[in-house]
Amino acid sequence: SECASDFSSPSSSSQKGNGKHHCRHCGRIICGNCCTDREAVPWHGHVGKTLVCTSCIKVVEMRNLALHAYSDLCSLLVKVRPPPALLGGPADGQAKPAPKKRPQPPGPAPAPKAKASPKPKA
């Protein structure tokens, strides 16, 4: 658990090297002596292990696991590509150019609708 150090007084941050730090995930002020959790936070630019508060460590670990799983999946998909025929492409691997659309000649203009004449009274 984290302590409740008061970093507002100048003497408190200099005691025994106890420094004021920020969690690299949420930005909360944490005690350098009490917080020992370190984890990479690459979405904030920290690719190496860095300080993370106790409240964030599980979230950061799970997010890192998800990033690694996604990266592993992408590298696996690049290595094991299905044949192009299974993807709807040509079997020889060569891309076919898109068929050219022929311009359609303009059709006759629609005739204007005639107003219905009133029925004569009988």
Side-chain angles (χ1 to χ4, degrees), residues 39-51:
E39 190 65 45
V41 189
W43 49 93
H44 287 305
H46 303 284
V47 291
K49 293 201 174 201
T50 187
L51 283 173

Side-chain angles (χ1 to χ4, degrees), residues 19 70-71 81-82 106:
Y70 179 77
S71 175
R81 281 184 152 173

Side-chain angles (χ1 to χ4, degrees), residues 68-100:
H68 290 298
Y70 179 77
S71 175
D72 292 345
L73 178 63
C74 288
S75 64
L76 179 65
L77 290 174
V78 168
K79 290 177 187 174
V80 185
R81 281 184 152 173
L86 294 177
L87 297 175
D92 62 1
Q94 298 296 320
K96 287 184 184 176
K100 293 182 181 179

Side-chain angles (χ1 to χ4, degrees), residues 23-117:
C23 170
R24 299 306 193 261
H25 182 249
C26 69
R28 196 170 93 191
I29 295 174
I30 52 179
C31 173
N33 285 340
C34 297
C35 182
T36 58
D37 295 321
R38 294 179 180 274
E39 190 65 45
V41 189
W43 49 93
H44 287 305
H46 303 284
V47 291
K49 293 201 174 201
T50 187
L51 283 173
V52 178
C53 72
T54 305
S55 301
C56 292
I57 191 67
K58 292 293 180 193
V59 172
V60 172
E61 287 173 344
M62 292 300 289
R63 200 165 172 186
N64 279 332
L65 286 172
L67 283 173
H68 290 298
Y70 179 77
S71 175
D72 292 345
L73 178 63
C74 288
S75 64
L76 179 65
L77 290 174
V78 168
K79 290 177 187 174
V80 185
R81 281 184 152 173
L86 294 177
L87 297 175
D92 62 1
Q94 298 296 320
K96 287 184 184 176
K100 293 182 181 179
K101 292 185 179 180
R102 294 184 182 165
Q104 298 293 324
K113 290 185 177 180
K115 289 186 176 180
S117 57

